[in-house]
Structures are given as C-alpha cells and as structure tokens.
Amino acid sequence: MSIFVRQDDVRRQNQFGVLMALRRRGGLSRTDISAVTGLSASTVTVITNRLMEQGALIAEGVGEVIGQRRGRPQVRLFPNPAHGTVAVIVLGLNTVQVTIADYAGGVIGSLFERTPTKTMNAEALNSAVISTVARLLAKHGADIGPLLRITVGVEGIVDADASTLLSSPATEASEIPLGSALEKEFGVDVEVYNESNMIAEALHWKAPDRYGSDFAAVLLSVGVGMGLYLHGKLFSGVRSSAVEFGHMCYEPDGALCRCGRRGCIEAYAGGYGIWRAAHGGDPSSVTEDDPTDAAMSDLAARARAADGPERKAFHAAGKAIGTGLSNLFTIFDPIPLVFAGPGVSMLDLMME
C-alpha cells in the first residue's frame, strides 16, 4: 500500500513543531530549534524567516539579516506577543469566564460573570457568551493583536467536530451550536471541547516527557471528569469528546446527579455532592448554586478537625472515585493518574 503525504501538510507540521518548541522552551536560536525539533538547519531557517516576515516571530537583539547568518552572531527567537490574540472561554453552571492571551502565551486579561445558564435556551446562552467575549476584547482592544482563535471548555458532552455542545449540567438546553455562533460573530475559527480533555491536552502539550504517552487526568471540582491519553493520542468517542468518568454509575438508584441520572460518581465526589452529604441534604435534590471554593475549603478544615459528617462525606467521595478507577482499569491497563482542579487540595481526605 502506498502512502501519499502532501508537501503542504509537511510544511504545516514542521512549522507547528518550531512554534511548539519556542512556546515550550522560551527563546531559542535557530541552532537550538534544529536540535530540539530534529529539523535540518536549512528547514529551520526557511520556516523562521517566513514566520518573521509574517510578524509571528521576533528576534532578541538587532543586526541579523534574514537569510544571511554566516559570520553573524546568533539571535534568540520568540513568538511575537502582538501578532495575535486567543480567547479561551470556560462555561460552567451559571458562570461564564473568558480569558484572552497574546501570541506568546501571556495572559492579557480575564472576565468572570455570573449568568443564569441553567435556565437559558440555546440562543440566550450563545448571546451571553458572545457578550462576555466582546466586552473583554473591547476593554483591551487598543493594546492587543487581532483575534485569531477562540477555544471553549465546558463540562458536558461535546461534538468537537461540529463545535456543538450536546448536553451539559450547566444548562437545560441541548444541541447548542456554540461554535458556529461564535464564528459568525467574530469571524475566527472556534473549537469546543470538554474541559477535562483540555486539561489532559494541556498537560501533554506542556510536559510530554513527564506525563508520557499514556495517562489519565482526573478533574476534581464541582463536577468530576477525566481526560484520557492513550498511545500518545487523546481518547474520545465516535461523536462525543471525552471520557464521562464522573457519570459512570457508582450506586444504582443512588443520589441524584446534576446530569439528571442517579448514582453517578459525581453525585458523591463532585463538590456539590460532598456538600450535600456533609449537610445532610436530600439525596434526591441538587442545589441550584454550587458551593464556592472558600466554602469547600472550610468544609475540608472541619473534616480534618473532627470525625463527623464532613469527614464521612469526603470518605464517601474517595470511595466513589476509587471504585470508578478500579472499574476503568478492568477495561484499560492501569496507567498513571494526574489529579487536577480545586479538589486536589482535599485529596488527603479521600485518598484512603
């Protein structure tokens, strides 16, 4: 069987490798870039010259003439912060947070707003997200480069290919064309992902040598999620975008989960589930608002101080997570685990 590789694809991949090396390691000389990426010196020169002409890269110091390195001192190259801006949206239950970063990865600004996402229809939710992005961009408009891309992270089931939010505990609406609405408004490419997948992707991108080709990132927050890397690739379903670890059944007909089903791991190990159990709440109901990080920290402090309902709630959370991981590892071989999110500060109460 013959395999055909288009030259344009090779060029794009090589350019991506150069930019990735610079983002991971900071300023590098062309010689360093060649050593890190394995690309030839001539290929690195062609790529970096093109990126400098486009304004995507800048050089430290002056004096080097593009394409005429012989006899001249090497310079370090950096992504140009002013070349462009990326917006990252995190959509949660009754919250929208937008952060914008420059082309070098530096955070420019962030805007956090509370809005009733739970009861909004698809059109209202799209409008609320667009409005938050627009206000933040307008606030920094004179000081930033052009918007190049928008990425959305959300708890729930996502069709990443169609940039559509299929369902989420954050809203009663479904089949929300969030990506297309943002693309129409801002005229840039938009990606919509499950938030746990984004965490796993970020860990793999930032430190591939540390995390390896196989690991699971377990998100401990108001909800419980998982991003799974297998054989160097992010695992996803045929249509949906993530491993719905938090919604694996832990106790049939058990406590109510925000997804509407009963007995999910998240119903016991998510922040709202721990809070509900610690306060003797009705397991058949879910509070409208999530406990704050500060409230959860106070709850954890009480659990550490005395053996009471708070400690029992955290122990129950640990049992739910542990049972879920045990079940998962009957399907996949055991792999390294990375715990992420605010719940990590309370992991000592669940670990046993």
Side-chain angles (χ1 to χ4, degrees):
M1 182 179 68
S2 299
I3 298 176
F4 297 95
V5 180
R6 295 191 306 173
Q7 195 64 30
D8 286 347
D9 292 337
V10 174
R11 279 196 291 265
R12 277 194 293 269
Q13 186 63 33
N14 289 344
Q15 179 173 295
F16 179 73
V18 169
L19 285 169
M20 183 177 290
L22 290 170
R23 291 182 186 282
R24 281 177 175 159
R25 299 170 182 264
L28 297 172
S29 69
R30 289 183 172 89
T31 301
D32 293 334
I33 294 172
S34 181
V36 169
T37 62
L39 299 173
S40 68
S42 59
T43 298
V44 169
T45 297
V46 170
I47 291 173
T48 54
N49 285 353
R50 185 188 305 121
L51 290 171
M52 290 181 74
E53 290 168 358
Q54 294 171 353
L57 296 184
I58 54 176
E60 182 183 70
V62 295
E64 180 174 5
V65 178
I66 294 175
Q68 299 179 7
R69 293 178 57 243
R70 183 170 297 175
R72 296 185 180 274
Q74 290 186 344
V75 297
R76 292 196 301 165
L77 301 175
F78 300 84
N80 178 11
H83 181 63
T85 300
V86 174
V88 178
I89 302 165
V90 179
L91 179 62
L93 176 62
N94 297 326
T95 63
V96 178
Q97 180 171 335
V98 181
T99 300
I100 52 175
D102 60 35
Y103 196 71
V107 174
I108 297 169
S110 187
L111 181 59
F112 178 89
E113 293 191 338
R114 292 199 170 273
T115 187
T117 64
K118 186 68 175 177
T119 56
M120 286 179 166
N121 60 28
E123 183 178 357
L125 185 61
N126 286 339
S127 297
V129 172
I130 288 170
S131 176
T132 305
V133 175
R135 283 198 297 278
L136 184 59
L137 290 174
K139 179 181 177 180
H140 297 276
D143 306 318
I144 62 175
L147 183 65
L148 301 180
R149 185 178 291 271
I150 298 174
T151 299
V152 185
V154 60
E155 179 187 358
I157 302 174
V158 173
D159 183 346
D161 291 337
S163 297
T164 300
L165 177 57
L166 302 177
S167 65
S168 171
T171 177
E172 294 174 356
S174 60
E175 302 282 344
I176 303 170
L178 191 53
S180 59
L182 288 163
E183 287 178 0
K184 181 179 179 181
E185 180 68 23
F186 296 103
V188 299
D189 289 338
V190 179
E191 300 165 322
V192 181
Y193 292 120
N194 175 276
E195 61 179 353
S196 299
N197 269 9
M198 292 185 72
I199 291 172
E201 192 72 77
L203 292 170
H204 177 75
W205 183 89
K206 197 162 189 176
D209 294 338
R210 177 179 181 183
Y211 297 108
S213 60
D214 302 276
F215 70 92
V218 181
L219 173 63
L220 302 180
S221 185
V222 172
V224 176
M226 176 180 286
L228 186 63
Y229 246 88
L230 294 175
H231 306 299
K233 293 185 178 180
L234 192 65
F235 180 86
S236 61
V238 175
R239 186 184 183 202
S240 62
S241 66
V243 180
E244 292 298 319
F245 174 75
H247 300 294
M248 290 173 58
C249 184
Y250 165 61
E251 185 174 319
D253 299 321
L256 182 65
C257 180
R258 286 193 313 182
C259 73
R261 294 183 295 225
R262 289 182 172 274
C264 296
I265 292 171
E266 181 180 297
Y268 298 87
Y272 68 91
I274 296 172
W275 183 268
R276 175 176 59 192
H279 290 85
D282 182 0
S284 296
S285 65
V286 177
T287 57
E288 185 170 330
D289 293 319
D290 294 325
T292 64
D293 289 345
M296 288 300 296
S297 294
D298 289 342
L299 190 72
R302 293 199 296 273
R304 293 186 183 101
D307 186 9
E310 298 87 358
R311 184 177 294 179
K312 287 182 175 62
F314 280 104
H315 282 188
K319 187 175 181 181
I321 294 169
T323 301
L325 291 173
S326 178
N327 290 337
L328 184 71
F329 290 152
T330 63
I331 302 173
F332 301 103
D333 289 335
I335 55 177
L337 298 172
V338 184
F339 290 96
V344 170
S345 64
M346 306 160 205
L347 198 57
D348 60 299
L349 293 164
M350 309 181 226
M351 188 60 77
E352 183 182 347

